[in-house]
Amino acid sequence: MRVAWTGSGWGLQRRWIVPAAMVGVFAAVMTRGRLPLAAGGSLEWVLDLAVTAACAFLIRYGFRQLRKKNMIENVPASPIRSVAMGLVEIQGRSTADATLTAPLSNTLCHYYRYQVEEERHRSKGGREWVVVDRGESDAPFQVEDPTGKILVDPRGADILLKRDYQRVERGEGWFGRRKRYSEWRIDPADFVYVIGTVSKLRDPAAERRERLQEKIREIKKDLAAIGRFDLDGNGTLDEREWAGAVAVVKDDLLRGELSRKAAAPGEDLVVTAGETESTFLISDRDERSIATMLGWKAFGAVLFGGAVVLVMITSILGHFRAGVGGWTFPWEALLR
């Protein structure tokens, strides 16, 4: 079983669903009695409009999945040692040292997502599982390949993982409800596929400025340091003496940087969600499996959404006596 966990993929869509519904209701109220609608058609064409809007979002979702599929297929995998700034594809393994403990299985891992569901009776009969609790970790973790390591920040990523743990717990007593506990993880040494945006973890120039400012503040508080740069011996530093002090501190900082061991490739980089590129995906599946899964998602969403939109448009036209044979969707029979 594969699970898609999207940090921000539906935020924009949810934002527009309520305004679209409000516009539909407002239009229905304003047109009541003014347009040549069939009997009882005012509410029904609003339902048609609402379903059309929902399926439009479904079609948009399908094209988003298709775009991700194309990106995965077209962006070549990069060794960590030679990654460049921007969108990259990385395939490696999580490091052996894990710092997190999964809440349900108590397993050491780099990333986890959990979900707790409760079995409930439906109003029209039957049973269903309802989510009562869920959560995920947001701690960055490292991915390594034979060339080096790189940090991955999972916040905002689409997480596609196999389920690692599941337990069904019977409720207490005669009327106790069953609960189902599920967990998805990235464990130590797991295969990890990542496509996302590489950026600098730190800014060397900004760090150098901060260290310089800190050194200058230390000089102002240290009388011995002031005496080192006080060329005229008056106990204070004039503009020329301060310029000399700053030059000496800069030279000391540069010598210190050159004497320190250079960071290994990838250690000062992080893979995150890009500011302009929305594609950011983490999975324990290989590239081909992910592309196939996204392709079927895109095909199903666009095909189903498009078919329903055509049906609803035909029904809307039928309410205005403009459709083929005046056909309308049988909401009354369906909701009875």
Side-chain angles (χ1 to χ4, degrees):
M1 175 181 178
R2 294 186 182 93
V3 173
W5 180 253
T6 304
S8 60
W10 286 92
L12 180 61
Q13 297 171 6
R14 285 196 299 263
R15 187 187 311 169
W16 288 101
I17 287 176
V18 173
M22 292 178 65
V23 169
V25 172
F26 176 76
V29 173
M30 295 300 295
T31 58
R32 181 182 293 273
R34 300 183 182 181
L35 294 177
L37 293 171
S42 182
L43 175 61
E44 292 185 357
W45 85 265
V46 171
L47 293 175
D48 293 344
L49 187 63
V51 173
T52 302
C55 287
F57 286 113
L58 182 61
I59 294 172
R60 179 177 181 270
Y61 168 79
F63 280 110
R64 284 169 59 101
Q65 302 309 302
L66 182 61
R67 181 178 182 275
K68 290 178 186 177
K69 174 182 179 294
N70 292 335
M71 296 290 285
I72 289 172
E73 292 177 334
N74 296 328
V75 176
S78 301
I80 291 176
R81 180 185 295 273
S82 58
V83 294
M85 299 296 103
L87 186 68
V88 298
E89 178 183 283
I90 296 170
Q91 300 185 47
R93 293 192 175 273
S94 57
T95 56
D97 299 327
T99 58
L100 300 178
T101 301
L104 301 183
S105 64
N106 292 320
T107 302
L108 288 176
C109 61
H110 294 284
Y111 170 88
Y112 65 80
R113 179 175 82 85
Y114 71 90
Q115 181 172 279
V116 181
E117 300 165 284
E118 187 175 76
E119 189 179 35
R120 296 179 182 176
H121 293 279
R122 293 177 179 172
S123 58
K124 295 185 179 181
R127 296 182 178 184
E128 63 180 346
W129 290 100
V130 178
V131 176
V132 294
D133 187 23
R134 63 167 34 140
E136 66 173 333
S137 63
D138 59 1
F141 59 90
Q142 285 188 322
V143 174
E144 60 182 355
D145 67 7
T147 68
K149 300 178 181 179
I150 194 167
L151 197 66
V152 177
D153 187 345
R155 291 175 296 181
D158 296 335
I159 311 291
L160 308 178
L161 300 176
K162 295 178 295 183
R163 184 172 56 203
D164 294 285
Y165 173 86
Q166 188 176 73
R167 182 181 87 249
V168 178
E169 185 179 89
R170 289 191 171 276
E172 298 181 359
W174 288 98
F175 302 101
R177 293 172 174 173
R178 291 196 303 167
K179 287 188 176 181
R180 184 166 62 188
Y181 302 85
S182 303
E183 192 174 78
W184 299 263
R185 302 189 307 267
I186 295 177
D187 293 336
D190 272 358
F191 173 81
V192 181
Y193 172 92
V194 182
I195 182 169
T197 301
V198 173
S199 59
K200 284 283 186 181
L201 186 62
R202 56 190 179 86
D203 185 352
E207 292 183 354
R208 192 178 299 116
R209 287 193 297 270
E210 291 178 1
R211 288 196 296 268
L212 176 61
Q213 293 172 359
E214 181 62 28
K215 289 290 185 181
I216 296 299
R217 285 194 292 267
E218 292 176 359
I219 291 175
K220 291 181 179 180
K221 298 177 182 178
D222 188 351
L223 294 178
I226 292 177
R228 176 187 174 189
F229 303 105
D230 185 12
L231 301 180
D232 55 13
N234 64 355
T236 59
L237 300 181
D238 57 26
E239 184 176 346
R240 182 173 61 88
E241 292 168 338
W242 268 118
V246 171
V248 171
V249 171
K250 284 183 177 180
D251 185 64
D252 291 342
L253 291 175
L254 180 60
R255 291 176 184 273
E257 289 180 3
L258 294 176
S259 65
R260 288 193 297 269
K261 183 180 179 180
E267 288 189 358
D268 62 338
L269 302 177
V270 61
V271 186
T272 61
E275 295 182 0
T276 57
E277 175 52 59
S278 61
T279 302
F280 184 27
L281 185 145
I282 302 172
S283 179
D284 58 359
R285 295 291 188 180
D286 60 80
E287 176 182 346
R288 185 174 180 179
S289 299
I290 298 170
T292 300
M293 178 182 61
L294 293 177
W296 280 111
K297 277 187 174 183
F299 176 78
V302 173
L303 182 64
F304 178 79
V308 174
V309 165
L310 290 176
V311 171
M312 292 297 105
I313 290 177
T314 302
S315 179
I316 292 173
L317 293 175
H319 286 297
F320 291 93
R321 298 186 177 91
V324 179
W327 180 87
T328 60
F329 190 82
W331 287 110
E332 184 177 353
L334 182 66
L335 300 176
R336 184 177 300 168

